[in-house]
Amino acid sequence: MAKISLLKCDDYNRVNSAVKESVHLLGGISSFIKPGEKILIKPNLLAPKEPSKAVTTHPEAVKAVIQLVKSAGATPIVGDSPGGAVRDIKNLWKVTGMEDICTREKVELVNFEAAGSKAFDIGDNNVKRVNFSNAVLNCDGIINVPKLKTHSLMAFTAGIKNLYGCVPGLMKVEYHKLASKNKDFAHLLANIYLFLKNKIRFTIIDGVLAMEGNGPSSGEIRRLNVIAASADTALLDAVMLTSLRRDISKSEIFKKLMISKKDTDGAEIIGNARQDFNFENFKFPSLRKLDLMPKPLIKILGKFLWVHPEINEDVCVKCMMCKKSCPANAIYKIESGYPRVEDKKCISCFCCHEMCPYKAVDFAKSFLAKIFIKED
Ligand code: SF4
Ligand code: SF4
């Protein structure tokens, strides 16, 4: 079983040494990369947000990985496909700090959409063929550098969910529509992970400043002070989730990948011990409390237990990013210029909540949902 490295790091000025020490503990960069290889470093670049907002992987963590890859005699490139409706990739690179570090390190930043893509049957029941960017397909290996955050649909995003960014642009929105239920989307993510698994050399999670609450873009910053790494992305995610006191037996991703608490309990942790961190009282998205309810009860309560997005016009700036990100075409513009959600069409994927740059998408809940989903 692969080792899991956990290292304390409470400052991005010290993240360079923490990242390098993590990889050293796992066996050193030369055990993962050969000279002459082309290695894609894949951060989470969801949206054009400054590093201090904890929405994207911190550039200092990416810089440390770039330097490691170079030290192994390989060529690093850096890239990610942001949320589907983000069009200005150059602005995103600038705001997230990626342009600055890649210029200074003389490393190519790759536009996943411009690189073209190729479709594959990855054995998913809902999305018959999945497109991957050629930037992903044409590299020799991937180093996955996600941000640790909550996610309103999936509860949690780290190593596995970060790989969804290997699908270019608006195709992500399309696949969301085809795999709209929580279980179907979880299986799609698991299948994408399995398809890319042999290319992933290791995953290193930026959890120094993480995000809790209603992430992945509108949550609250939570200082976890952890850099976590492993050659086994799925086990690493599972260990982080259980460390944050989440029952992984309810996760459709881990059910599909057949990872249980027994695996996380038996994982070999190196570096710092779990108890060296303050993982207590981590707030998961309020909506995901529904996952913890018994399935038969959810079935019985069915249509009385709903949550839909609702636009907060006090905050909304009418940019229509939500409309462009909606896989179900459930958002339309009203005469005043504000967006409205057509509840009948809405598939409750919460992409609008994820992609709204102004935190203007709230959750409207039924009477019963209000009882079961109390905000912390
Ligand atoms: S809700 Fe958010 S994304 Fe939608 S128009 Fe308003 S500000 Fe833009
Ligand atoms: S309105 Fe929002 S939650 Fe509903 S389908 Fe569209 S993006 Fe998903």
Side-chain angles (χ1 to χ4, degrees):
M1 195 182 271
K3 293 172 183 168
I4 306 286
S5 155
L6 298 180
L7 275 187
K8 284 187 97 165
C9 178
D10 60 5
D11 189 334
Y12 281 109
N13 289 323
R14 287 191 282 277
V15 88
N16 196 294
S17 56
V19 166
K20 288 174 180 171
E21 175 64 11
S22 295
V23 178
H24 174 72
L25 288 172
L26 295 178
I29 192 69
S30 304
S31 60
F32 296 107
I33 287 168
K34 293 188 187 67
E37 286 188 319
K38 186 175 177 182
I39 300 295
L40 170 68
I41 299 170
K42 164 71 181 72
N44 180 330
L45 300 179
L46 174 68
K49 299 277 182 184
E50 295 79 14
S52 59
K53 300 279 190 332
V55 171
T56 51
T57 306
H58 199 283
E60 285 299 322
V62 176
K63 184 167 102 182
V65 179
I66 289 173
Q67 291 174 349
L68 276 170
V69 173
K70 282 182 182 171
S71 72
T75 303
I77 57 171
V78 175
D80 184 25
S81 172
V86 175
R87 307 314 304 160
D88 190 346
I89 190 84
K90 289 201 170 142
N91 177 53
L92 177 135
W93 289 342
K94 194 173 189 163
V95 177
T96 56
M98 291 300 139
E99 184 188 82
D100 184 44
I101 53 144
C102 287
T103 305
R104 280 198 270 143
E105 291 292 327
K106 298 186 176 57
V107 166
E108 185 190 355
L109 255 169
V110 205
N111 181 337
F112 276 17
E113 272 192 82
S117 64
K118 200 172 165 193
F120 292 85
D121 179 351
I122 61 167
D124 191 75
N125 287 337
N126 297 289
V127 186
K128 294 300 169 209
R129 290 177 72 75
V130 175
N131 271 270
F132 293 93
S133 169
N134 286 333
V136 176
L137 299 171
N138 295 340
C139 69
D140 295 304
I142 300 169
I143 298 180
N144 189 23
V145 197
K147 188 79 171 170
L148 193 156
K149 297 185 289 180
T150 49
H151 192 278
S152 291
L153 182 64
M154 302 315 302
F156 175 78
T157 164
I160 293 175
K161 174 71 176 62
N162 193 42
L163 297 170
Y164 197 49
C166 294
V167 173
L170 287 166
M171 286 170 193
K172 289 194 285 296
V173 177
E174 276 303 305
Y175 301 161
H176 237 305
K177 188 176 175 181
L178 297 169
S180 59
K181 291 190 183 127
N182 179 294
K183 184 175 177 179
D184 293 340
F185 192 59
H187 284 192
L188 175 62
L189 293 179
N191 285 328
I192 286 175
Y193 163 65
L194 291 172
F195 181 77
L196 295 172
K197 192 176 168 189
N198 289 339
K199 271 205 161 198
I200 303 168
R201 302 299 168 84
F202 59 87
T203 290
I204 185 151
I205 299 177
D206 168 12
V208 178
L209 289 186
M211 181 174 282
E212 64 179 0
N214 292 320
S217 57
S218 302
E220 299 134 48
I221 296 172
R222 167 73 187 259
R223 186 172 272 287
L224 289 178
N225 293 338
V226 63
I227 290 292
S230 178
D232 186 333
T233 305
L235 184 65
L236 178 64
D237 275 10
V239 164
M240 289 314 297
L241 258 185
T242 49
S243 300
L244 294 166
R245 313 285 182 261
R246 185 84 178 173
D247 177 2
I248 61 164
S249 70
K250 304 275 196 259
S251 159
E252 296 295 342
I253 291 183
F254 295 116
K255 275 193 229 170
K256 165 94 182 160
L257 296 174
M258 292 189 289
I259 294 178
S260 67
K261 188 163 183 300
K262 206 169 138 212
D263 298 308
T264 59
D265 286 349
E268 185 186 349
I269 310 285
I270 51 177
N272 291 107
R274 277 185 255 215
Q275 49 272 28
D276 293 340
F277 299 89
N278 178 14
F279 290 143
E280 295 299 326
N281 304 316
F282 187 80
K283 283 189 272 175
F284 283 91
S286 51
L287 300 186
R288 300 280 48 98
K289 287 177 185 164
L290 289 177
D291 302 344
L292 308 176
M293 284 173 68
K295 285 262 153 62
L297 185 61
I298 292 184
K299 246 187 180 166
I300 292 166
L301 298 176
K303 60 181 178 175
F304 303 108
L305 200 59
W306 54 259
V307 181
H308 287 145
E310 187 176 54
I311 310 300
N312 180 348
E313 291 184 4
D314 291 341
V315 190
C316 175
V317 300
K318 308 177 186 176
C319 69
M320 291 297 141
M321 183 66 96
C322 52
K323 186 175 182 317
K324 289 175 210 151
S325 308
C326 176
N329 284 325
I331 298 180
Y332 61 99
K333 201 187 218 180
I334 58 173
E335 219 172 305
S336 59
Y338 287 108
R340 273 282 178 287
V341 177
E342 197 176 334
D343 290 348
K344 272 192 189 152
K345 280 191 181 173
C346 176
I347 55 173
S348 298
C349 65
F350 302 111
C351 291
C352 49
H353 174 262
E354 179 173 338
M355 294 313 299
C356 173
Y358 299 94
K359 301 189 181 187
V361 180
D362 294 336
F363 301 124
K365 299 174 195 134
S366 67
F367 177 72
L368 270 186
K370 275 185 194 155
I371 294 173
F372 288 111
I373 312 170
K374 286 203 188 83
E375 299 288 338
D376 291 317

